[in-house]
């Protein structure tokens, strides 16, 4: 809809507004309409007022005009009629007023100098052009002159005059040398506005003979050259002997080679000057000063500030430039030239005058007969311009009278105009600095309404946006416009519509139900006309799934979604932009139907991605930022400072963090003396820190490197720093993990972890090993060993404690005194067995064993605990021998009891107990015998059911694999199962333990039974085993059923029944698909409450129960 709105606005802006009056008519720029309407002439193109022409080319004086009927043209020259037919060199272009004066075929431009004016006339009036002053350009040669060489003392000022010939227009001046190279300019040497070359002070390098002033005449494209000017700069040192002979010694030695001088203005001269400039022009003020050192120029405006944004300084601040000056820029401008010896100043009084300029230019009027109107012509200037009126090019005072016209100064008032009132009026505003001339016509028309908008024009807009329906019209008098919805609908009124003066109907918020036909009606007193347009309101285009902010690691894959919803009649196009520009021409960018995928992402893919959806009516977009992250780049420029014996300061410059902040730096070191090529962790510092004080060890050749870490990972290591070798020193520490453990009963093995080369602090690393027996008043025994990690002391008593210490030393001395540790000489096997072993049986599978501890002296080592060996001798229920498998339980520490789980019930066991040390086990205690009580048996080993008859089944079983005691009986339980798997009453039978089979009688025929079977001891029942079996049917009934089933008639009957059922199912299926209903009675029968169903006859599933010779349990 925005596009339509712009179209309507552009049409409105194209309307030719012919008058500011409320009653005046607007004439649309419709080509067909303009061809039909009468219109006075209008000048559309003309040459400039001051027209400087090239005398070598034809002179073309432009004058173009339009009107209906097309105007005719005539010219005046110097105020009198110019008869072009009498001059063969002058022609007028066809259908135009443009004059062509043929200079190239013998004519002379000077002969056609003068003031020209064009008149365009038709039956409705006459328009005139400006006075066009024709002047041929001139580029005269330089006058011959004799130029004397300029001899100047170093430090003096100098002005080289250009004095170019007077041309039309004035030439452009520049200075060059014989090689056509521009002479360099500076604060000291510069060109003035008049073209002269000014030297604030001359230097020896200014000496040359080819200072040449050039004048370029642009119209004739020629350059004139002045004769070269010679400049020679001399100093006191360069005076020749002849000059020196004529001077006294005082004159020579009292003169300075270069004399410093305070500033003096070279231009302008004097203390004040005046300057007049016209409004709108560029004001150029200049101050150039002499002096040594070279003066610096500064500009101020007295009593005010230099205008901001319009003030510029040129030519090394020697020229003040103010653009687009106005009366407010009048005032006194002071330039100040200053050096170290003083200053000079000059005040320029600026007056801004103004040629006439428009306040209100007259505008064309289109009126209907009987209407009123005004032409207004208001201009300003300094001095104030005079206003005069002309009618059709003739002063209005002597023009034909018109009763509808009245002149009132700068205004012409029209009342009750008629068609004969049509004319072109000229307003002239002039003062001593120029004039303005404007044409404005009064066109009186009587026209019936016309609608210029095409019939049935289709407008398409998006819902909830404005709709502008055009009804471009014209008529005189101005028609009234009305709008209707539909062809015969009611007139549109209300706040939901906006009616524009140009006939456009605006619907600020178009809705879908607003689609349809709209009728525009235009009427005035001369007639009525209507036009229909169509409006279609479309659903807006929406992005229902917008791209989202993504953070992706370098070389990964990322996808942005852009899922849209749009009107079905509009064809959307989707384009993707990166940073408001086109996507890179790269095959890694894959544009799908509703997504953008970037493969193998790189750092340059970082940016904002925008999805733009365009239709012919609307456009929507959504953006998301892609941030590409990666591990940091390695740090660089590592530097070591503040080197001390035990510390150094390391600094570095972080690498690029690659969009993921650095969290910390890892500092690593290499010991080039002891472990070259191996890097060790030194320390870590926060990611905001780039220096660290590092603690150092003696006798290490350090190199450092730094690794940056962010959330993505670790950077590559930096390049290593310079190496730094620390001085040697005594060891700072002793070996760690010192231990004394005997490997044999008569020795002591002393071990330790050796110091690394990094820890040695110097060359010649050795160890002093010392030991003595604890709690015995003995002296220390010591030995110095090489850089090893073990020493064996022989001939020691068995398992006695020793005090041990190991001290490091190198060529520079010993480490600090080491700490003492306690060790023991070698262990031997324990000497005695635990005594007073007792067993307490807790239950059939658990027993508790007790024993007395052995004396510690007999352990002869570190007491680790006790081991209980136990094994099953035999089962008390069966006397068969079996393989003996001993089991061992270990009880750590100095315990005196332990639990024996997992025993077998009703069994005989033996056990013994042994003490354990680091060397091994001591002797066993005497075997102790104990028995476990009875438990419940395991399930019978099997249950088989054989020999089924009409009313009996035979059961056979095997005794339990683990009776766990003396079996007292077997328990059998059984119950019938019907066809729906429901269980009947449960029956229980107790069977003597010596039985292994049972015939179960008085059962129902053709019935399935489920059996539960388990064994019992005096403790209780064991786990049960289950089986199922079925009694057989009656033999006669079975025979009869077989006979019927084999008869042909029975088979045929069964087939007929099956066919009948199939037909019934098909009919029911068809009725259901057709929406048929079952009778209510059928539904009631189908859904009757089962609790109120009548009792059915027994179907014989459980049969008749009979009493057995045993007592049955309660029914199930």
């Amino acid at each position: 809809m925005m596009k339509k709105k712009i179209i309507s606005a552009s049409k409105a802006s194209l309307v030719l507004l012919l008058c500011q009056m409320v009653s005046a008519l607007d004439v649309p720029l419709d080509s067909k309409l303009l061809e039909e309407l009468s219109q006075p002439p209008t000048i559309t193109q003309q040459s400039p007022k001051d027209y400087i022409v090239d005398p070598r080319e034809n002179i073309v004086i432009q004058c173009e005009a339009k009107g209906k009927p097309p105007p005719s043209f005539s010219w005046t020259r110097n105020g009198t009629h110019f008869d072009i037919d009498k001059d063969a060199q002058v022609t007028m272009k066809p259908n135009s007023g443009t004059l062509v004066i043929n200079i190239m075929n013998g004519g002379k431009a000077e002969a056609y100098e003068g003031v020209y004016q064009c008149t365009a006339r038709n039956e409705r009036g006459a328009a005139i052009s400006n006075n066009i002053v024709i002047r041929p350009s001139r580029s005269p040669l330089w006058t011959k002159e004799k130029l004397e060489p300029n001899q100047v003392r170093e430090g003096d000022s100098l002005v080289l005059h250009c004095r170019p010939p007077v041309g039309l227009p004035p030439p452009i001046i520049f200075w060059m040398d014989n090689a056509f190279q521009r002479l360099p300019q500076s604060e000291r040497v510069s060109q003035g506005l008049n073209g002269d070359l000014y030297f604030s002070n001359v230097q020896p390098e200014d000496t040359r003979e080819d200072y040449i002033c050039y004048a370029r005449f642009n119209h004739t494209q020629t350059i004139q050259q002045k004769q070269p000017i010679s400049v020679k700069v001399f100093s006191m040192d360069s005076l020749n002997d002849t000059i020196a002979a004529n001077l006294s010694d005082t004159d020579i030695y009292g003169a300075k080679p270069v004399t410093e001088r305070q500033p003096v203005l070279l231009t302008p001269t004097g203390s004040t000057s005046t300057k007049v400039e016209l409004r709108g022009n560029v004001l150029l003020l200049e101050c150039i000063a002499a002096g040594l050192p070279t003066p610096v120029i500064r500009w101020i405006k007295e009593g005010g500030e230099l205008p901001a944004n319009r003030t510029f300084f040129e030519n090394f601040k020697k020229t003040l430039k103010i653009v687009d000056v106005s009366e407010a820029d009048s005032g006194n401008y002071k330039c100040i030239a200053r050096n170290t010896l003083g200053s000079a100043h000059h005040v320029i009084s600026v007056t801004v005058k103004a040629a006439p300029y428009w306040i209100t230019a007259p505008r064309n009027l289109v009126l209907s007969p009987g209407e009123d109107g005004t032409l207004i012509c208001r201009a300003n200037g300094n001095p104030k311009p005079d206003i005069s009126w002309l009618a059709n090019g003739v002063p209005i005072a002597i023009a034909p009278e018109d009763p509808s016209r009245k002149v009132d100064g700068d205004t012409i008032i029209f009342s009750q105009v008629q068609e004969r009132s049509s004319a072109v009026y000229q307003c002239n505003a002039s003062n001593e600095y120029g004039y303005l001339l404007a044409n404005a016509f009064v066109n009186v028309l009587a026209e019936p309404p016309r609608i210029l908008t095409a019939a049935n024009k289709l407008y398409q807009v998006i819902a909830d946006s404005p709709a502008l329906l055009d009804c471009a019209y014209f008529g005189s008098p101005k028609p009234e416009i009305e709008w209707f919805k539909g062809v015969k609908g009611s007139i549109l009124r209300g706040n939901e519509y906006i009616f524009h003066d140009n006939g456009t109907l605006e619907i600020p918020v178009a809705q879908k139900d607003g689609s349809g036909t709209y009728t525009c009606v235009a009427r005035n007193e001369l007639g009525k006309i209507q036009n229909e347009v169509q409006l279609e309101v479309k659903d807006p285009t929406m992005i229902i799934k917008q791209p989202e902010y993504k953070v992706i690691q370098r070389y990964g894959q990322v996808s942005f979604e852009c899922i849209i919803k749009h009107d079905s009649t509009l064809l959307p196009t989707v384009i993707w932009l990166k940073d408001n520009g086109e996507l890179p021409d790269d095959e890694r960018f894959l544009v799908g139907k509703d997504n953008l995928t970037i493969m193998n992402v790189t750092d340059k893919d970082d940016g904002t991605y925008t999805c733009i959806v365009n239709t012919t009516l609307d456009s929507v977009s959504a953006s998301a930022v892609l941030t590409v992250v990666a591990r940091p780049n390695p740090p660089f420029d590592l530097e070591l400072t503040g080197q001390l014996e035990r510390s150094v300061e390391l600094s570095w410059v972080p690498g690029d963090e690659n969009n993921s902040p650095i969290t910390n730096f890892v500092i690593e070191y290499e010991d080039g003396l002891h472990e070259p090529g191996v890097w060790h962790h030194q320390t870590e510092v926060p990611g905001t820190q780039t220096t660290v004080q590092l603690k150092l060890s003696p006798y290490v050749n350090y190199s450092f490197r730094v690794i940056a870490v962010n959330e993505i990972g670790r950077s590559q290591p930096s390049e290593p720093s310079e190496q730094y070798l620390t001085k040697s020193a005594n060891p700072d520490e002793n070996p760690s993990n010192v231990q004394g453990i005997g490997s044999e009963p008569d020795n002591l093995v002393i071990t330790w972890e050796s110091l690394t080369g990094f820890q040695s602090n110097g060359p010649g690393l050795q160890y002093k090993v010392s030991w003595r027996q604890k709690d015995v008043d003995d002296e220390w025994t010591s030995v110095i060993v090489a850089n090893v990690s073990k020493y064996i002391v022989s001939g020691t008593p068995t398992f006695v404690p020793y005090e041990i210490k190991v001290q490091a030393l190198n060529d520079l001395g010993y480490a600090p005194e080491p700490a003492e540790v306690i060790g023991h000489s070698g262990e031997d096997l324990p000497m005695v067995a635990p005594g007073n072993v007792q067993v307490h049986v807790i239950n059939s599978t658990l027993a508790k064993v007790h024993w007395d501890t052995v004396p510690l002296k007999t352990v002869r080592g570190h007491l680790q605990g006790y081991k209980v060996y136990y094994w099953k001798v035999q089962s008390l229920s069966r006397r068969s021998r079996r393989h003996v498998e001993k089991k061992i339980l270990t009880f750590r520490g100095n315990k005196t009891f332990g639990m024996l789980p997992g025993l077998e019930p009703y069994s005989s066991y033996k056990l013994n107990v042994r003490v354990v040390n680091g060397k091994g086990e001591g002797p066993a205690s005497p075997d102790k015998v104990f028995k476990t009580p009875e438990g419940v048996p395991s399930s019978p080993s099997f249950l088989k059911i054989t020999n089924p008859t009409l009313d009996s089944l035979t059961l056979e079983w095997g005794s339990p694999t683990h009776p766990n005691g003396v079996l007292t009986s077997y328990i059998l339980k059984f119950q019938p199962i019907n066809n729906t798997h429901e269980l009947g009453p449960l029956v229980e039978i107790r069977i003597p333990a010596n039985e292994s089979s049972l015939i179960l009688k008085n059962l129902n025929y053709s019935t399935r039974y489920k059996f539960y079977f388990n064994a019992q001891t005096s403790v209780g029942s064991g786990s049960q085993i289950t089986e199922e079996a079925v009694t057989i049917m009656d033999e006669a009934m079975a025979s009869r059923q077989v006979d019927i089933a084999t008869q042909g008639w029975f088979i045929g009957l069964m087939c007929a029944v099956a066919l009948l059922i199939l037909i019934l199912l098909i009919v029911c299926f068809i009725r259901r698909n057709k929406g048929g209903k079952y009778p209510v009675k059928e539904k009631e029968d189908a859904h009757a409450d089962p609790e109120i169903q009548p009792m059915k006859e027994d179907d014989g599933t459980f049969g008749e129960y009979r009493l057995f010779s045993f007592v049955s349990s309660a029914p199930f």
Side-chain angles (χ1 to χ4, degrees):
M1 185 58 216
M2 184 60 69
K3 188 173 182 180
K4 291 293 182 183
K5 191 172 186 180
I6 293 173
I7 291 174
S8 299
S10 64
K11 287 184 177 180
S13 67
L14 290 175
V15 173
L16 179 60
L17 299 177
L18 300 178
C19 184
Q20 295 293 324
M21 296 293 293
V22 175
S23 60
L25 295 176
D26 291 338
V27 180
L29 286 178
D30 182 88
S31 58
K32 184 177 179 181
L33 175 64
L34 293 177
E35 288 177 1
E36 298 175 357
L37 294 178
S38 296
Q39 180 176 313
T42 301
I43 301 291
T44 59
Q45 191 173 2
Q46 57 184 315
S47 294
K49 296 178 181 179
D50 191 7
Y51 188 16
I52 299 174
V53 298
D54 189 335
R56 300 167 299 178
E57 297 180 354
N58 293 339
I59 301 174
V60 179
I61 311 176
Q62 291 183 327
C63 180
E64 303 291 341
K66 64 178 182 179
K68 179 67 176 181
S72 60
F73 297 89
S74 62
W75 286 86
T76 63
R77 178 184 174 189
N78 298 327
T80 61
H81 177 66
F82 182 33
D83 192 349
I84 63 175
D85 295 332
K86 294 182 179 181
D87 192 333
Q89 303 295 331
V90 181
T91 58
M92 185 183 295
K93 291 185 178 181
N95 302 318
S96 168
T98 298
L99 294 182
V100 178
I101 302 174
N102 196 333
I103 301 300
M104 302 178 67
N105 288 334
K108 291 187 177 181
E110 292 79 3
Y112 292 94
E113 286 191 58
V115 180
Y116 293 79
Q117 188 173 42
C118 172
T119 300
R121 187 184 306 274
N122 69 8
E123 62 187 29
R124 292 254 165 180
I128 60 175
S129 71
N130 291 322
N131 287 328
I132 303 170
V133 179
I134 302 296
R135 294 186 296 170
S137 65
R138 298 180 180 87
S139 53
L141 297 176
W142 242 292
T143 58
K144 295 291 184 180
E145 58 180 324
K146 184 178 180 180
L147 299 177
E148 297 293 337
N150 291 275
Q151 294 191 4
V152 191
R153 187 176 62 175
E154 180 182 355
D156 288 351
S157 62
L158 174 66
V159 179
L160 300 182
H161 298 287
C162 180
R163 298 190 182 98
V166 177
L168 185 66
I172 297 173
I173 306 301
F174 53 93
W175 289 80
M176 294 198 298
D177 59 16
N178 276 331
F180 296 102
Q181 298 297 317
R182 285 187 178 268
L183 296 176
Q185 298 191 24
S186 62
E187 288 186 343
R188 188 177 63 83
V189 182
S190 61
Q191 177 182 314
L193 294 177
N194 63 354
D196 293 346
L197 190 63
Y198 291 86
F199 294 79
S200 296
N201 53 79
V202 295
Q203 301 296 326
E205 62 264 24
D206 297 329
T207 298
R208 62 191 306 157
E209 297 181 352
D210 56 350
Y211 286 93
I212 304 173
C213 180
Y214 288 86
R216 184 173 68 226
F217 298 90
N218 285 340
H219 266 69
T220 58
Q221 298 181 353
T222 58
I223 296 178
Q224 303 291 347
Q225 172 184 338
K226 187 182 179 72
Q227 290 181 343
I229 302 175
S230 175
V231 174
K232 183 176 181 180
V233 179
F234 63 89
S235 62
M236 293 301 296
D237 295 336
S238 65
L239 291 175
N240 57 43
D241 296 337
T242 303
I243 298 176
N246 296 325
L247 297 175
S248 65
D249 292 343
T250 304
D251 293 334
I252 293 175
Y253 295 107
K256 294 183 180 180
V258 178
T259 303
E260 294 185 342
R261 303 183 318 281
Q262 67 179 22
V264 175
L265 289 174
L266 297 176
T267 183
T269 57
S271 60
T272 62
S273 60
T274 61
K275 173 80 171 181
V276 176
E277 192 56 77
L278 292 182
R279 179 181 184 270
N281 287 354
V282 176
L283 174 64
L284 293 173
L285 304 179
E286 180 181 57
C287 275
I288 300 177
L292 186 67
T294 303
V296 176
I297 305 297
R298 186 169 67 91
W299 292 88
I300 61 173
K301 183 180 181 182
E302 294 183 343
E305 299 290 335
L306 295 175
N309 303 323
R310 293 189 294 115
T311 300
F312 304 91
F313 298 100
E314 296 179 346
N315 198 18
F316 309 98
K317 290 194 175 182
K318 300 174 186 178
T319 302
L320 171 65
K321 178 180 177 180
I322 301 177
V323 300
D324 192 22
V325 295
S326 64
E327 289 84 345
D329 295 321
S330 297
N332 293 332
Y333 292 81
K334 178 186 286 188
C335 69
I336 303 169
R338 187 184 303 277
N339 67 7
T340 56
L341 300 181
S343 64
H345 68 270
H346 184 93
V347 177
I348 305 173
S349 178
V350 175
T351 302
V352 179
K353 298 290 186 178
Y357 57 91
W358 291 118
I359 296 175
T360 303
R363 306 290 297 273
N364 296 331
L365 271 178
V366 179
L367 300 173
S368 301
E371 286 187 330
D372 301 337
T374 59
L375 288 179
I376 300 174
C377 177
R378 289 176 184 162
N380 202 358
N382 186 9
K384 188 172 181 63
D386 296 325
I387 303 295
S388 61
W389 287 96
L390 296 89
N392 295 326
V394 178
I396 201 165
I398 61 175
E401 290 188 5
D402 183 353
S404 66
R405 179 183 69 210
K406 178 183 178 182
V407 179
D408 185 7
D410 58 8
T411 303
I412 301 179
I413 302 171
F414 298 92
S415 304
Q416 298 292 317
V417 297
Q418 301 301 320
E419 286 195 60
R420 64 178 179 275
S421 301
S422 296
V424 181
Y425 291 87
Q426 291 80 34
C427 173
N428 186 297
S430 60
N431 66 9
E432 61 187 278
Y433 297 107
Y435 73 94
L436 293 173
L437 179 67
N439 289 276
F441 64 67
V442 175
N443 196 14
V444 182
L445 297 174
E447 296 288 336
R450 307 182 193 194
I451 293 181
L452 307 178
T453 300
N456 291 313
K457 185 174 181 179
L458 176 62
Y459 293 88
Q460 295 179 328
V461 298
I462 295 297
D464 298 326
S465 61
L468 283 89
L469 309 183
D470 292 336
C471 183
Y473 67 92
F474 179 74
S476 182
K478 183 178 180 181
E480 294 181 358
I481 302 299
E482 293 177 331
W483 280 92
F484 299 85
K485 176 72 182 296
V487 180
K488 297 182 179 179
S490 58
I491 188 170
L492 297 181
R493 293 188 178 88
N495 295 331
E496 64 268 27
Y497 302 104
I498 299 174
F499 302 93
H500 293 272
D501 291 340
N502 62 356
T504 297
L505 168 65
E506 179 179 353
I507 306 174
V509 183
Q511 301 296 332
K512 291 279 286 186
D513 56 6
S515 299
T517 301
Y518 289 79
T519 302
C520 163
V521 178
R523 60 166 57 90
N524 67 8
E525 60 190 40
L526 301 179
K528 173 181 126 177
I529 192 171
Q530 69 181 39
N531 187 43
E532 296 175 4
V533 294
Q534 306 297 323
L535 175 63
E536 292 181 0
V537 182
K538 308 288 187 179
D539 289 325
T541 305
M542 295 183 292
I543 300 178
I544 58 177
K545 183 66 181 294
Q546 298 187 357
E548 297 177 347
Y549 172 73
K550 294 291 179 70
V551 177
I552 189 70
Q553 290 190 33
R554 187 188 295 163
Y555 309 124
Q557 176 179 322
V558 67
S559 183
F560 292 106
E561 287 188 296
C562 185
I563 301 176
I564 64 173
K565 179 182 179 183
H566 61 91
D567 192 284
S568 59
T569 62
L570 298 177
L571 182 63
T573 58
V574 179
I575 60 174
W576 287 88
L577 301 180
K578 179 182 183 295
D579 296 329
N580 295 323
E582 293 184 358
L583 289 178
D585 185 12
D586 193 328
E587 60 184 9
R588 298 182 300 106
F589 288 76
L590 305 177
V591 179
K593 178 183 177 183
D594 51 15
N595 61 30
L596 167 66
T597 301
I598 307 174
M599 313 287 290
N600 196 22
V601 172
T602 63
D603 292 339
K604 65 181 181 181
D605 300 329
D606 201 277
T608 300
Y609 290 83
T610 304
C611 165
I612 301 177
V613 185
N614 293 318
T615 68
T616 54
L617 298 181
D618 63 348
S619 177
V620 291
S621 65
S623 298
V625 174
L626 172 63
T627 300
V628 180
V629 296
R631 296 184 299 171
N633 291 352
F636 57 94
D637 285 353
L638 272 66
E639 184 179 5
L640 296 177
T641 56
Q643 289 92 338
L644 300 175
E645 290 187 3
R646 292 296 184 103
S647 68
V648 69
E649 183 174 270
L650 173 66
S651 61
W652 62 90
V653 177
D656 193 339
E657 63 185 18
N658 292 324
N659 292 325
S660 181
I662 296 174
T663 56
N664 58 293
F665 292 99
V666 177
I667 292 87
E668 297 181 339
Y669 72 89
E670 176 196 30
D671 181 1
L673 190 63
H674 303 101
E675 291 182 292
V678 179
W679 290 89
H680 301 275
H681 183 273
Q682 171 89 9
T683 187
E684 292 187 19
V685 297
T688 56
Q689 188 172 328
T690 58
T691 60
V692 63
Q693 193 78 19
L694 300 175
K695 294 182 179 179
L696 305 180
S697 293
Y699 194 52
V700 176
N701 192 13
Y702 280 101
S703 289
F704 299 97
R705 69 183 187 185
V706 183
I707 299 171
V709 182
N710 63 10
E711 289 186 357
I712 311 304
R714 294 162 63 102
S715 72
Q716 292 294 321
S718 68
E719 291 295 323
S721 70
E722 59 181 304
Q723 290 187 331
Y724 177 48
L725 178 62
T726 56
K727 295 180 179 180
S728 300
N730 294 5
D732 291 327
E733 53 187 310
N734 288 300
S736 60
N737 197 23
V738 177
Q739 295 182 354
I741 301 173
S743 60
E744 298 295 337
D746 60 349
N747 73 6
L748 172 65
V749 179
I750 302 173
T751 60
W752 60 90
E753 290 185 8
S754 300
L755 298 181
T756 64
F758 178 83
Q759 296 170 312
S760 67
N761 284 8
L765 178 64
Q766 294 178 301
Y767 300 99
K768 179 182 178 181
V769 183
S770 304
W771 68 92
R772 69 180 178 184
Q773 188 172 338
K774 190 175 184 298
D775 300 329
V776 177
D777 193 13
D778 285 347
E779 295 294 327
W780 287 93
T781 302
S782 300
V783 63
I784 294 178
V785 300
N787 188 10
V788 294
S789 59
K790 182 172 69 173
Y791 182 77
I792 300 176
V793 180
S794 301
T796 62
T798 301
F799 196 68
V800 295
Y802 278 87
E803 294 174 331
I804 303 167
K805 58 184 180 180
V806 180
Q807 185 178 24
L809 66 150
N810 61 18
D811 292 348
L812 278 77
Y814 286 87
E817 185 66 23
E820 300 175 5
V821 298
I822 304 298
H824 288 80
S825 57
E827 297 180 81
D828 205 349
L829 294 176
M831 300 174 60
V832 299
N836 193 26
V837 177
Q838 302 292 329
V839 178
H840 172 61
V841 178
I842 297 175
N843 56 39
S844 61
T845 60
L846 180 66
K848 184 177 183 180
V849 58
H850 292 262
W851 61 87
D852 291 342
T853 58
V854 300
L856 290 179
K857 290 184 178 181
T858 66
V859 177
R860 296 199 296 180
H862 294 286
L863 176 64
Q864 294 186 354
Y866 293 87
K867 284 187 179 180
V868 177
Y869 285 75
Y870 66 100
W871 61 95
K872 180 180 175 181
V873 178
Q874 67 176 12
S875 173
L876 297 179
S877 58
R878 290 185 293 220
R879 298 298 178 182
S880 59
R881 301 290 296 173
R882 57 174 289 177
H883 172 70
V884 176
E885 179 184 357
K886 291 188 177 181
K887 297 182 180 179
I888 304 173
L889 285 177
T890 301
F891 300 94
R892 300 291 180 185
N894 195 19
K895 285 194 173 183
T896 60
F897 68 90
M899 306 298 290
L900 305 181
L903 303 176
E904 293 186 12
Y906 204 50
S907 300
S908 176
Y909 281 88
K910 287 185 178 181
L911 65 78
N912 58 52
V913 183
R914 309 175 191 195
V915 65
V916 182
N917 67 10
K919 189 71 173 178
E921 301 175 3
S925 67
D927 292 345
K928 187 74 174 179
V929 178
F930 67 95
K931 297 178 181 178
T932 58
E934 287 187 86
V936 297
S938 63
S939 62
S941 56
F942 67 87
L943 175 63
K944 294 193 298 183
I945 303 174
T946 60
N947 302 326
T949 65
L950 290 174
D951 62 350
S952 67
L953 293 170
T954 300
L955 279 67
E956 298 177 356
W957 61 86
S959 60
T961 305
H962 302 286
N964 295 336
V966 178
L967 294 181
T968 59
S969 63
Y970 291 100
I971 302 298
L972 173 66
K973 298 178 182 179
F974 65 93
Q975 58 189 146
I977 305 174
N978 64 13
N979 292 336
T980 59
H981 301 285
E982 295 175 347
L983 299 175
L986 185 67
V987 179
E988 181 178 323
I989 302 174
R990 184 178 297 274
I991 304 170
N994 58 352
E995 297 290 339
S996 61
S997 66
L998 174 67
I999 298 175
L1000 198 58
K1001 298 181 179 180
N1002 297 326
L1003 300 177
N1004 294 331
Y1005 69 89
S1006 187
T1007 302
R1008 176 176 294 276
Y1009 288 89
K1010 186 168 185 178
F1011 297 91
Y1012 312 90
F1013 194 68
N1014 62 287
Q1016 278 189 337
T1017 65
S1018 60
V1019 177
S1021 299
S1023 56
Q1024 64 185 12
I1025 185 173
T1026 63
E1027 283 290 342
E1028 293 185 8
V1030 182
T1031 57
I1032 65 174
M1033 294 188 297
D1034 180 70
E1035 294 177 0
M1037 184 181 300
S1039 175
R1040 193 163 51 250
Q1041 287 177 349
V1042 170
D1043 292 342
I1044 293 174
T1046 58
Q1047 299 300 310
W1049 64 267
F1050 181 75
I1051 296 173
L1053 178 61
M1054 291 298 103
C1055 291
V1057 171
L1059 181 61
L1060 209 57
I1061 292 173
L1062 179 61
I1063 294 172
L1064 182 61
L1065 290 173
I1066 292 173
V1067 171
C1068 291
F1069 178 75
I1070 294 173
R1071 290 184 61 195
R1072 182 177 295 273
N1073 285 347
K1074 290 184 177 180
K1077 304 293 184 178
Y1078 290 109
V1080 176
K1081 178 61 177 158
E1082 292 178 11
K1083 290 188 176 181
E1084 291 176 352
D1085 291 344
H1087 297 83
D1089 191 341
E1091 294 184 3
I1092 60 174
Q1093 293 292 309
M1095 294 295 292
K1096 295 184 180 180
E1097 295 182 359
D1098 186 12
D1099 59 2
T1101 302
F1102 295 116
E1104 181 182 7
Y1105 291 98
R1106 297 178 175 85
L1107 293 175
F1108 298 95
S1109 58
F1110 49 80
V1111 178
S1112 173
S1113 64
F1116 179 75

